[in-house]
Amino acid sequence: MSFLNELNPVQQEAVKAANGPVMIIAGAGSGKTRVLTYRIAHLIQCGVPPYQILALTFTNKAAHEMKSRIVKLVGEKASQLWMGTFHSIFARLLRREAEALEYTKSFTIYDSDDSYSVVKKTMERLGISAQQYNPNAIRSRISASKNQLIYPQEYARLARDVFDEKTALVYEEYQKTLRRNNAMDFDDLLIKPIELFQNHDDILKKYQHRFKFLLVDEFQDTNRAQYEVSKMLAGAHRNVCVVGDDAQSIYSFRGADIRNILDFSKDYPDCQTFRLEQNYRSSKNILGAADQLIRFNNDRLPKDLWTENESGDPISLVECTDDKDEGYQIVQAIQEESHRNKFDLKDYVVLYRTNAQSRTIEDTLRRNSIPYVIVGGVKFYERKEIKDVLAYMRIIANASDEEGILRVLNYPSRGIGDTTVERLRTFALERGIKLYDVLGFVEKINDIADRTRKSVRQFHTLVEKYRSLQKEMSFTELIRSLVDELGILKIFKEEGTPESMSRWENVQELLSAISEFSDEREEATLESFLEEVALVSDIDDWEGTRNAVTLMTLHSSKGLEFPVVFIAGLEEGLLPFYSNSLERSDLEEERRLLYVGITRAQKKLYLTYTRLRYRFGEVSYPSISRFMAEIGKENIVHVVNELHRKVSVGGGNGSRQRNHEAGRKHKIQEPGNGADPMPDYESESQDAFEIHRGVIVVHESFGRGKVIQVTGAGDARKATVQFEGYGVKHLILRFAKLRLA
């Protein structure tokens, strides 16, 4: 057990507490992954068969890294572990038990685009206007309902308004369509196991007996469905270990429920709790700022973070004139840091609240010939030419996949128009048969031209050919043969444009990925490859090996670390982000999001804000984020605008220097010199004191409204306002900038 000597005393205790419920509260940078890894290795060393251990993570990347570490610690027997994301593990389980749910094991996993397409077609069929009711909004509500284990009938019963009523109609038909297509969406991968276990006690007992030890990583990010299925699996032996940090719960928009970790000890009163409080990642200044910030949250578990690392550089709070100037400031700091501390470009990350913020930063990096990568752009498997080939693969695996058929029925072009497609779909729906079966007897359908019938028949024959060839060829050979027969590579080459050549390269890369997948797995199948592709995430794709500055959202950064971190847009409305009112729970999550961003930094942290920002095509004059006052002044250097800032434009020998007029002379206020390094909030307007029930007010975003209630006092004074066209909003007067009409 020599590897336990690599752990500190608290980590050792957490690793060795094998039996019964265990909760490990792991502060940022406290070695959470190591503890989880070593705990599994310790269980195996103590004689627990690896196949009796189930470890659930939130990214494939984390699962692969942990599993490889465990193999190094205890040998190849660790490969028998069931370790992966909730979605991948339960997709695997559902394929084994598909018949019990009246599915086939070759069911398709629909991504968000597929789900949107089904929702939109369902709305058309039900006569619900996509202009009046946003299909994406309906899809989001369906997803949120599933995460909360609210099924169509219950949703209809709970409907509060017309939008809910329309959503309920779509929800019910949406689920029927998925079932008819032998398909599940991402949310189904979490709720179908619950249905399975509830309706088949024998299957539940089988997996309870199989998995005597359950470990859940990033427990603060679990939703109700994930919590319930974990609870069901751990029901027999109660050897459940959850690892997480309430201060890093930032995914409520995906259905994550912070109550799961806050109330774990209520559900398991006999649980052992361990707090990992020593931070190994960040300097004292960075950790102190993060700790000070998060203490403003009410919904939190107590912990006192500390580190033996050096104090390090003060945090730089940088004022910028506008978002363009923000890009210049960031680039200049990268250039100066690289010169001073010899950091590589891959040591820098720029974090932001919304993807739209990246544009001006990208522009400046490009002008200065600084390479960069963006996490969260168009993923490889979401490119059109790739999705087209994948659609053929999906149909070969699952002929019931209507969305896949509709995508490629006329790709490459066969002369099958939208009118024909609609006739085929209508024919199938009216008779309650599958679209694919209709393609097989297209001759029986009236009002379709002979030439078009022939094209439909050719498509059906092509798919049938490759469905039958599955038994004779490896799936690698199968797909190579399919791509050749489709002739798409030839089409791309003949077009000869840069775009078509890029598509050619992408399809070739897909074929390479298939070959690699086959080489790495003994039992590689078409279904297993499609499953892996469907469940890949942005972070899974990101390697972090290229020597380039990384750009990503704060949400994407969780679990990562960088020597130098920039967090852009520390302004009211951006961070904390709000488009409507900001409830306490929302504000606390925004605070946790900033906490996550700060704790990604090892050596140096820059926080930037602007006095003027272009958003949605309009100029705004934001106030500095309230979080800056909460962080405190002790460890911050405030850098105010420079009058002359030289930033190279272009690059190489031909680069030229450009003076950027920023408005005020450069000024640095050091901590402890008697100056106030923190900008004050803008004073509350006189109007705010005159706001009371019944008065008419104007808000810069919501326009005119009537105050229906005023509560609280001082900084906590809040107004409830009925706005014309925006409904009721709850606003903190200190920040709302209301004025009397």
Side-chain angles (χ1 to χ4, degrees):
M1 303 207 193
S2 59
F3 60 78
L4 293 183
N5 296 329
E6 300 173 25
L7 305 175
N8 67 38
V10 180
Q11 290 174 332
Q12 287 187 28
E13 289 178 27
V15 165
K16 291 189 285 189
N19 297 313
V22 171
M23 180 167 65
I24 302 172
I25 307 301
S30 62
K32 178 248 314 175
T33 302
R34 172 171 284 195
V35 169
L36 191 57
T37 301
Y38 282 27
R39 181 179 172 86
I40 295 170
H42 179 68
L43 286 171
I44 295 171
Q45 276 206 341
C46 290
V48 178
Y51 58 81
Q52 291 185 347
I53 301 171
L54 171 61
L56 298 168
T57 66
F58 270 80
T59 67
N60 293 305
K61 193 181 184 75
H64 293 323
E65 288 177 356
M66 279 194 279
K67 198 166 185 177
S68 66
R69 290 188 198 180
I70 296 166
V71 168
K72 286 180 182 177
L73 290 170
V74 299
E76 285 299 324
K77 58 185 175 182
S79 58
Q80 300 173 26
L81 277 168
W82 274 51
M83 174 178 268
T85 65
F86 275 89
H87 291 90
S88 65
I89 289 293
F90 290 116
R92 182 178 171 186
L93 186 151
L94 288 169
R95 292 203 190 279
R96 291 190 171 194
E97 310 296 341
E99 289 183 7
L101 290 167
E102 298 182 346
Y103 277 77
T104 73
K105 68 176 184 178
S106 60
F107 64 80
T108 300
I109 300 171
Y110 279 1
D111 63 16
S112 55
D113 287 343
D114 296 320
S115 296
Y116 173 82
S117 179
V118 174
V119 165
K120 197 170 180 186
K121 291 187 182 79
T122 303
M123 290 173 65
E124 290 169 3
R125 198 161 62 246
L126 295 172
I128 299 172
S129 169
Q131 281 70 45
Q132 192 172 359
Y133 303 97
N134 188 312
N136 251 328
I138 289 179
R139 186 180 67 86
S140 289
R141 290 203 183 185
I142 292 172
S143 176
S145 300
K146 287 185 176 185
N147 287 329
Q148 295 301 314
L149 301 180
I150 299 171
Y151 296 92
Q153 284 186 321
E154 187 181 359
Y155 190 96
R157 186 177 59 80
L158 296 171
R160 296 170 297 178
D161 53 33
V162 177
F163 195 97
D164 278 345
E165 291 169 1
K166 299 295 184 185
T167 300
L169 293 172
V170 176
Y171 187 3
E172 185 174 5
E173 288 302 310
Y174 173 82
Q175 287 301 106
K176 288 179 181 177
T177 301
L178 291 186
R179 180 66 194 85
R180 188 169 60 249
N181 293 359
N182 192 34
M184 298 186 192
D185 63 18
F186 289 152
D187 302 308
D188 286 330
L189 297 179
L190 301 178
I191 65 173
K192 290 295 181 184
I194 296 174
E195 290 179 26
L196 180 71
F197 295 154
Q198 286 174 337
N199 298 324
H200 300 274
D201 191 57
D202 57 326
I203 295 176
L204 172 60
K205 286 178 178 174
K206 178 173 76 174
Y207 287 102
Q208 284 179 336
H209 178 72
R210 169 72 184 269
F211 302 125
K212 293 182 179 177
F213 291 87
L214 173 65
L215 300 95
V216 184
D217 192 18
E218 305 287 3
F219 191 65
Q220 76 280 350
D221 294 329
T222 54
N223 58 34
R224 184 182 172 191
Q226 289 165 324
Y227 181 76
E228 287 299 324
V229 75
S230 303
K231 197 172 178 181
M232 293 172 90
L233 284 170
H237 301 282
R238 300 182 80 251
N239 294 325
V240 55
C241 173
V242 301
V243 184
D245 181 8
D246 55 290
Q248 298 186 66
S249 178
I250 58 173
Y251 292 118
S252 67
F253 67 95
R254 293 184 189 167
D257 189 350
I258 193 174
R259 306 308 315 180
N260 290 346
I261 191 168
L262 295 179
D263 296 340
F264 184 80
S265 58
K266 294 179 183 177
D267 293 333
Y268 296 92
D270 57 333
C271 84
Q272 300 181 71
T273 300
F274 301 93
R275 288 176 171 80
L276 308 183
E277 297 172 318
Q278 183 176 359
N279 177 287
Y280 294 93
R281 176 185 299 153
S282 304
S283 68
K284 282 188 174 70
N285 283 335
I286 292 169
L287 186 65
D291 192 46
Q292 209 162 304
L293 172 72
I294 205 64
R295 289 178 184 274
F296 280 83
N297 274 7
N298 293 324
D299 293 336
R300 56 186 293 269
L301 297 169
K303 57 181 159 310
D304 294 306
L305 300 182
W306 60 279
T307 183
E308 293 180 345
N309 295 337
E310 296 177 352
S311 296
D313 292 340
I315 297 166
S316 293
L317 177 63
V318 184
E319 179 186 283
C320 310
T321 306
D322 55 23
D323 40 355
K324 189 176 287 188
D325 183 43
E326 186 175 47
Y328 288 132
Q329 293 273 33
I330 290 170
V331 166
Q332 185 178 38
I334 290 172
Q335 292 171 332
E336 290 175 354
E337 286 284 354
S338 298
H339 179 73
R340 185 168 57 247
N341 294 315
K342 309 301 181 188
F343 287 124
D344 293 326
L345 291 176
K346 65 181 179 183
D347 294 332
Y348 300 94
V349 67
V350 184
L351 307 177
Y352 34 78
R353 180 63 177 83
T354 67
N355 279 305
Q357 291 171 252
S358 73
R359 183 186 61 81
T360 53
I361 300 166
E362 284 186 72
D363 287 347
T364 315
L365 288 166
R366 253 193 323 266
R367 290 191 187 108
N368 286 270
S369 300
I370 297 176
Y372 65 92
V373 292
I374 294 183
V375 177
V378 179
K379 292 186 285 186
F380 177 78
Y381 292 108
E382 289 180 352
R383 293 166 183 167
K384 181 187 178 303
E385 61 275 12
I386 301 301
K387 295 199 74 166
D388 289 338
V389 178
L390 291 175
Y392 273 102
M393 295 167 67
R394 284 165 42 177
I395 303 163
I396 293 167
N398 171 26
S400 300
D401 184 359
E402 185 174 301
E403 283 304 304
I405 294 170
L406 293 174
R407 183 177 185 95
V408 293
L409 183 57
N410 194 43
Y411 177 81
S413 180
R414 299 182 174 92
I416 305 171
D418 292 344
T419 303
T420 299
V421 171
E422 193 54 39
R423 282 176 183 152
L424 294 169
R425 287 185 68 224
T426 302
F427 189 92
L429 285 167
E430 287 176 349
R431 289 158 180 79
I433 56 180
K434 293 174 181 172
L435 177 60
Y436 184 77
D437 294 337
V438 172
L439 305 183
F441 52 79
V442 65
E443 291 85 1
K444 298 181 181 180
I445 304 174
N446 299 323
D447 301 323
I448 296 179
D450 291 342
R451 187 169 152 188
T452 307
R453 279 200 188 98
K454 185 179 178 182
S455 295
V456 173
R457 169 61 72 178
Q458 285 173 341
F459 173 83
H460 184 267
T461 303
L462 175 75
V463 175
E464 278 295 293
K465 172 185 172 181
Y466 284 94
R467 282 175 60 80
S468 63
L469 283 173
Q470 287 187 93
K471 300 172 185 177
E472 302 174 19
M473 305 168 69
S474 72
F475 97 93
T476 304
E477 294 169 331
L478 187 82
I479 304 309
R480 284 192 176 276
S481 176
L482 171 68
V483 169
D484 286 342
E485 187 161 347
L486 290 172
I488 55 177
L489 290 173
K490 184 180 177 184
I491 293 169
F492 292 149
K493 270 207 166 181
E494 286 175 351
E495 286 178 6
T497 65
E499 292 81 7
S500 65
M501 292 311 296
S502 176
R503 293 189 184 105
W504 182 89
E505 289 171 358
N506 287 337
V507 174
Q508 292 283 20
E509 183 62 28
L510 174 64
L511 296 174
S512 297
I514 291 170
S515 296
E516 287 175 16
F517 183 86
S518 285
D519 293 341
E520 291 170 0
R521 291 162 175 79
E522 290 183 13
E523 298 182 4
T525 63
L526 180 58
E527 290 87 353
S528 62
F529 179 78
L530 289 169
E531 182 179 304
E532 177 140 321
V533 167
L535 300 176
V536 74
S537 70
D538 292 343
I539 293 301
D540 293 329
D541 280 341
W542 182 75
E543 296 293 335
T545 54
R546 184 183 164 196
N547 193 27
V549 176
T550 302
L551 276 61
M552 65 173 72
T553 64
L554 284 155
H555 284 98
S556 296
S557 72
K558 196 155 78 67
L560 305 176
E561 60 184 30
F562 297 84
V564 185
V565 171
F566 295 84
I567 304 178
L570 269 298
E571 301 145 26
E572 289 292 308
L574 267 182
L575 194 61
F577 179 85
Y578 52 88
S579 53
N580 299 323
S581 61
L582 200 63
E583 301 293 334
R584 183 182 67 82
S585 60
D586 299 324
L587 181 62
E588 293 205 351
E589 177 144 337
E590 291 294 304
R591 189 176 285 115
R592 292 194 294 268
L593 187 57
L594 178 56
Y595 173 89
V596 166
I598 291 173
T599 54
R600 300 312 94 196
Q602 298 170 302
K603 303 289 186 184
K604 179 67 183 177
L605 175 65
Y606 290 86
L607 308 173
T608 69
Y609 68 101
T610 70
R611 286 301 187 186
L612 180 155
R613 186 176 293 276
Y614 288 89
R615 293 189 73 192
F616 314 117
E618 297 181 356
V619 176
S620 64
Y621 299 91
S623 303
I624 189 170
S625 170
R626 69 190 77 183
F627 296 149
M628 294 300 92
E630 296 173 359
I631 287 175
K633 309 171 183 179
E634 296 81 10
N635 303 313
I636 289 182
V637 172
H638 185 207
V639 184
V640 187
N641 306 57
E642 303 177 1
L643 178 60
H644 299 289
R645 196 178 298 116
K646 293 184 178 180
V647 180
S648 61
V649 180
N653 295 329
S655 67
R656 58 192 175 85
Q657 296 292 312
R658 161 177 180 170
N659 287 333
H660 184 76
E661 299 293 331
R664 288 201 298 268
K665 190 174 180 180
H666 177 75
K667 185 171 73 172
I668 296 179
Q669 297 174 341
E670 301 286 352
N673 65 358
D676 185 356
M678 293 295 300
D680 293 325
Y681 290 108
E682 294 184 7
S683 300
E684 190 175 22
S685 70
Q686 186 61 40
D687 282 347
F689 297 100
E690 301 174 12
I691 290 172
H692 53 81
R693 183 179 177 184
V695 302
I696 305 299
V697 295
V698 178
H699 187 274
E700 63 181 12
S701 298
F702 308 131
R704 289 171 60 88
K706 184 177 181 179
V707 178
I708 56 181
Q709 189 181 16
V710 177
T711 57
D715 292 346
R717 197 159 174 254
K718 184 187 290 186
T720 302
V721 185
Q722 175 75 54
F723 288 101
E724 301 167 4
Y726 287 91
V728 175
K729 306 297 179 186
H730 306 280
L731 306 171
I732 299 172
L733 288 177
R734 185 181 183 191
F735 305 108
K737 296 183 181 178
L738 296 176
R739 56 183 175 84
L740 298 175

